[in-house]
Amino acid sequence: MMQNIENKVAYITGGTKGIGLGIARALMENGVKVAISGRNIQAAEVAKQTLGSENVLVLQADVRNFEDEVRAVEQVIKTFGKLDVVIANAGIGKFAPVDELTLEDWNAMIDTNLTGVFHTLKATVDQLKQNKGYYISMASLAGTNFFAQAAGYNASKFGVVGFTQAAMLDLRSYGIKCTTIMPGSVSSEFNGHIPNEEDAWKIQPADLGQIVVDLLKMNPNVLPSKIEVRPTKVK
């Protein structure tokens, strides 16, 4: 039994580019009202123009700051009257051998990728309980597959996977669904990359957007709690 998601309200952190922007576009194409946040309000305004709609709410918020998330959620409620879907997507990557990884880079990844995911859920959970909503965290295959020069990034993404799966068990009695999506190589601006034609083999942001749409439309009795996504081919 497919669910109608038209007029649902979604909040996406890190929604100004890449995966977050791809998810925003896919949701809007399916009639969902969308709010996107980022640390840079100018980038958020550019993203709004890219989406080509006045119906998207753009917000300046840093997921490392819990008060920012609380204010962002308050603005979503003020604008749209409710909140049904939360996509915790904001994330960064700093890569170096563990003996060379700086304290600053370690803290930035843990604070953004892991603590930020908690902040986003903490700020939205009351609305999710009220509306039997859906919480989706964007992890990575790096959340189960460790690799060299990624100790900090692996730690943060392993944490996101564990956090979201435990949250799923805590919250499903309220009718809240929780899923973590774990992409492999994605064509995005992550870590300063500029998407180009050589990225055609990679997962595209629109592909992940479609996965989110499919999750939201799924029978309410079914919960894919953890989804690994890989490119069909390796370059």
Side-chain angles (χ1 to χ4, degrees), residues 78-99:
K78 181 179 179 180
T79 302
F80 296 123
K82 63 172 183 172
L83 178 58
D84 304 292
V85 179
V86 176
I87 315 291
N89 170 71
I92 60 172
K94 307 285 185 179
F95 300 97
V98 67
D99 54 317

Side-chain angles (χ1 to χ4, degrees), residues 107-125:
N107 289 332
M109 284 186 285
I110 297 299
D111 291 348
T112 302
N113 300 355
L114 182 53
T115 303
V117 164
F118 170 65
H119 285 166
T120 300
L121 179 57
K122 189 72 172 176
T124 59
V125 70

